[in-house]
Amino acid sequence: MTMAAQTGFVSRLFPALAEASLRRYLSGQVASVLGSWTQNVTLNLLVYHLSGSAAILALLNFLLYGPQLIVAPIAGSRISSANAKRATLCVLTASLVLTASLFTLSLLGVLGVKLILAHALAIGVSSAVETPARQVLLLTSLEDPTHTSNAVAMNTMVYNVGRMVGPTIAGFVYPTLGPRTSFVIYAVALCFMATCVRSIRTASAARPARADSSLRDAVGYVMSDAFSARYLPILACIGLFAGSYQTLVPLLADQGFHDAARFTGVFFACAGAGSLSAAILLSSAIGTSASRRFIAWAPWTAVGALALLAATSEAAATVPAFFALGFSLTFAATSTNATIQRQCPEHVRGGLVGMYGMAYNGTMPFGYLLVGTASEALGVRHTFAAMAVVLASGVIAVIAWQRFTNQRAGAQ
């Protein structure tokens, strides 16, 4: 197959890659996500090495990811196609300053747990602002609006690749080269991402001026749009009661299969493979139709996977269960995000991206706390069973409430 034929095949399979702006964005995103996961995992290893406390480790991750719940929707409501590029560059600069601070404090030998936690909070707030800014920038830079779903899915695919590879890099770098090397890696990645962002030409000049908007406008849109009103609450249930499964993986590997080192890696790899498979499917040319047909089944696939993990003690059944769980989580999150982005008015896009981050990423830190507490009282398999039951109940409650409100509105 010639180079031209290969390029044509890739363009047909992933049509959004035909746009130069997306190629530049994804190039920087690959480096940035890899660097971010490398640094965050390094901070986890460093805090555990310094403190030896699981509670402080949980606090660190809450500070790194918890601000998504509050900061993301507020920041998203103020980000538009006109200022997304500037906001992204500002956040990248702030992240570079924080990384340089971590490197300097480590070099001076004064980087302790308290300073790491303070930096983690600043990193969490910065990331919560960055999430809507980057997504609005990504979609603003597209010349063809029909590529929206493919672009969002490809962005998710890059994130999942980074989530799988970044911890591996950190696991090699931290014990061999030290934490400062991870900070340098992330600093270089941020500089590369900033260069890519500066080279992106947005389409904002050709678009009508954005009307003033607020978080209230985004909330009003969600309440009036049938798809958003159903799937954002469902996504919050998934993030809270299924996305938190990661806390239980080492426990299941140790208590259920008596080989924590081996099976933890295997189970995470299976979930990551399922997640990556969903992202590839949704970023392909058939992604939009697949999302429309199967999004309603995604939460129930997660329920079934959690129930299987609770019921089985065989690795042959546990492996596909983790694959199905990873697939369903990414399919639900990416399909919801892409559909909302494709349908929403321009003036509420930033606020909706923030609400999406709040619904999915923002609920996970609380899920980690809930699941960790439940596992101590119930045991790992009973916790998986409880997650399945509560998730199913939550999905049913959301659907029933939407039908009730629609019937009441029709009666009026």
Side-chain angles (χ1 to χ4, degrees):
M1 184 180 292
T2 65
M3 182 65 68
Q6 291 176 345
T7 303
F9 173 76
V10 172
S11 297
R12 289 192 298 272
L13 186 59
F14 305 110
L17 284 179
E19 303 215 16
S21 62
L22 180 66
R23 295 197 298 272
R24 294 191 190 101
Y25 175 91
L26 290 179
S27 298
Q29 183 78 331
V30 168
S32 177
V33 171
L34 282 174
S36 176
W37 274 99
T38 300
Q39 175 171 277
N40 286 357
V41 173
T42 294
L43 292 177
N44 272 264
L45 294 171
L46 187 57
V47 163
Y48 191 71
H49 174 75
L50 292 173
S51 69
S53 170
I56 294 179
L57 198 60
L59 176 60
L60 171 70
N61 285 287
F62 182 80
L63 294 174
L64 284 172
Y65 306 111
Q68 288 278 351
L69 186 65
I70 298 174
V71 177
I74 296 174
S77 67
R78 309 312 306 164
I79 294 173
S80 68
S81 58
N83 63 16
K85 183 175 180 178
R86 183 170 66 254
T88 302
L89 289 171
C90 288
V91 172
L92 289 172
T93 302
S95 298
L96 185 60
V97 170
L98 290 168
T99 299
S101 176
L102 287 168
F103 176 85
T104 303
L105 292 171
S106 177
L107 190 65
L108 295 174
V110 296
L111 185 60
V113 173
K114 292 182 180 179
L115 285 173
I116 293 175
L117 293 178
H119 280 74
L121 177 59
I123 291 170
V125 172
S126 176
S127 298
V129 176
E130 184 181 33
T131 299
R134 284 199 190 192
Q135 290 210 30
V136 173
L137 172 65
L138 168 65
L139 300 176
T140 299
S141 66
L142 295 176
E143 297 179 2
D144 186 352
T146 63
H147 290 158
T148 295
S149 296
N150 297 138
V152 170
M154 294 197 73
N155 190 40
T156 304
M157 179 171 63
V158 167
Y159 179 83
N160 282 290
V161 170
R163 186 173 65 177
M164 287 189 292
V165 178
T168 304
I169 296 175
F172 168 77
V173 169
Y174 181 82
T176 57
L177 302 175
R180 288 193 291 274
T181 303
S182 295
F183 302 148
V184 171
I185 290 173
Y186 189 35
V188 172
L190 288 169
C191 292
F192 180 70
M193 179 64 182
T195 301
C196 293
V197 169
R198 289 178 65 87
S199 70
I200 293 175
R201 299 179 61 181
T202 63
S204 59
R207 297 187 179 191
R210 173 185 181 271
D212 290 338
S213 181
S214 66
L215 183 57
R216 181 180 297 178
D217 296 319
V219 173
Y221 175 80
V222 169
M223 295 179 66
S224 63
D225 177 63
F227 180 90
S228 301
R230 170 173 291 195
Y231 284 103
L232 275 181
I234 287 178
L235 196 60
C237 293
I238 291 175
L240 189 59
F241 302 118
S244 51
Y245 79 92
Q246 299 176 48
T247 303
L248 299 178
V249 173
L251 298 177
L252 180 65
D254 182 30
Q255 299 175 14
F257 295 90
H258 311 293
D259 192 341
R262 176 188 176 191
F263 283 101
T264 295
V266 169
F267 295 156
F268 270 126
C270 291
S275 180
L276 184 60
S277 299
I280 292 174
L281 170 63
L282 292 171
S283 61
S284 70
I286 64 172
T288 302
S289 60
S291 172
R292 187 166 47 247
R293 291 182 179 181
F294 300 117
I295 186 173
W297 293 98
W300 298 111
T301 302
V303 170
L306 291 170
L308 182 57
L309 290 171
T312 185
S313 58
E314 299 294 330
T318 302
V319 163
F322 274 114
F323 181 92
L325 186 57
F327 185 95
S328 62
L329 294 181
T330 297
F331 194 96
T334 306
S335 294
T336 300
N337 190 18
T339 303
I340 289 174
Q341 295 298 326
R342 188 172 61 249
Q343 296 177 352
C344 73
E346 172 65 24
H347 74 282
V348 299
R349 186 182 302 279
L352 287 175
V353 170
M355 292 183 68
Y356 162 81
M358 176 184 69
Y360 190 57
N361 298 319
T363 57
M364 281 191 188
F366 294 94
Y368 296 151
L369 297 176
L370 288 173
V371 166
T373 302
S375 64
E376 292 182 356
L378 302 176
V380 62
R381 295 197 187 279
H382 287 131
T383 302
F384 274 120
M387 291 164 67
V389 171
V390 175
L391 176 57
S393 301
V395 173
I396 292 172
V398 170
I399 295 174
W401 175 255
Q402 187 181 43
R403 289 178 178 174
F404 171 74
T405 55
N406 289 342
Q407 290 174 355
R408 188 172 63 177
Q412 294 176 350

